[in-house]
Amino acid sequence: MSAGPLPREQRVAAIRAALEAALSPQSLEVQDDSHRHAGHAGAADGRGHFNVDIVSQAFAGLSPIARHRAVYAAVGSLMDTDIHALAIRARTPAEAS
């Protein structure tokens, strides 16, 4: 990943690319909700708030906590540089249908 923060307009694409590479999702939506948190103390450092809805066979047999850990591992250093908050909905294809 990057050594420093990305321009705001590149963050969704970077999150999407990291999740696609690590989890091969069948469905993936990444939404930047940073505008809804303007003035929030946690966003003062410039990192953003994002929602992820991901459907992947990689989640089969994993607990909800393990699924979230897999997503956090996939986005890696973006958590340090670009993401302040990440809301995650992680499902298997069977759960999504």
Side-chain angles (χ1 to χ4, degrees), residues 41-97:
D45 63 2
R47 294 182 299 154
H49 291 68
F50 300 90
N51 282 313
V52 170
D53 188 343
I54 182 169
V55 176
S56 174
Q57 189 58 39
F59 299 134
L62 297 181
S63 69
I65 291 172
R67 293 174 186 198
H68 283 222
R69 286 181 180 147
V71 170
Y72 285 123
V75 297
S77 65
L78 289 170
M79 290 300 299
D80 297 326
T81 58
D82 295 284
I83 302 169
H84 170 72
L86 187 63
I88 301 167
R89 182 176 185 200
R91 299 172 289 158
T92 66
E95 292 166 342
S97 61

Side-chain angles (χ1 to χ4, degrees), residues 13-35:
I15 293 167
R16 175 178 289 284
L19 293 171
E20 287 174 345
L23 300 169
S24 302
Q26 290 184 357
S27 172
L28 175 61
E29 292 181 34
V30 180
Q31 182 176 344
D32 184 348
D33 281 339
S34 300
H35 65 281

